[in-house]
């Protein structure tokens, strides 16, 4: 999430603890607080306009995949983003 946020993808990022950690563990359960994201939801009229909705979603997904393609972090879930 931090990587996506730094690459202009609007995502909610975790708030660091006073110990600079991204989560708190209590009784073997991880707790994370996230920052609020400013912005608006897609309106129904946009979703009802098929061509406009496809364009909006396509632009968002394209940008998301371009950013993930350059991701060099250590993650077993993001290995090959050759889309």
């Amino acid at each position: 999430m931090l990587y996506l946020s730094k690459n202009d993808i609007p995502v909610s990022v975790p708030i660091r603890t006073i110990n600079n950690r991204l989560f708190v563990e209590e009784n073997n359960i991880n707790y994370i607080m996230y920052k609020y994201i400013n912005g608006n939801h897609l309106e129904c009229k946009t979703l009802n306009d098929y061509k406009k909705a496809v364009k909006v979603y396509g632009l968002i997904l394209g940008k998301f995949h371009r950013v993930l393609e350059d991701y060099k972090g250590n993650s077993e879930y993001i290995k090959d983003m050759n889309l």
Side-chain angles (χ1 to χ4, degrees):
M1 300 305 270
L2 296 172
Y3 177 80
L4 293 175
S5 178
K6 289 178 183 177
N7 284 278
D8 200 31
I9 302 291
V11 294
S12 183
V13 295
I15 299 171
R16 292 192 179 271
T17 67
I18 58 174
N19 298 326
N20 203 31
R21 297 184 67 204
L22 295 174
F23 64 93
V24 173
E25 183 180 345
E26 180 74 27
N27 296 324
N28 293 322
I29 299 173
N30 293 333
Y31 295 94
I32 304 171
M33 291 185 65
Y34 292 93
K35 291 183 181 179
Y36 176 80
I37 300 176
N38 290 326
N40 299 311
H41 294 281
L42 289 177
E43 298 177 0
C44 287
K45 64 182 179 183
T46 301
L47 297 175
N48 288 333
D49 181 345
Y50 178 73
K51 288 183 180 182
K52 188 173 185 178
V54 168
K55 183 177 181 179
V56 169
Y57 277 109
L59 290 170
I60 293 167
L61 286 173
K63 184 176 181 181
F64 178 72
H65 286 294
R66 279 196 314 267
V67 168
L68 286 182
E69 183 177 40
D70 295 331
Y71 182 70
K72 303 294 186 229
N74 184 13
S75 174
E76 64 180 280
Y77 301 107
I78 304 173
K79 292 182 181 180
D80 184 10
M81 291 302 298
N82 186 11
L83 300 175

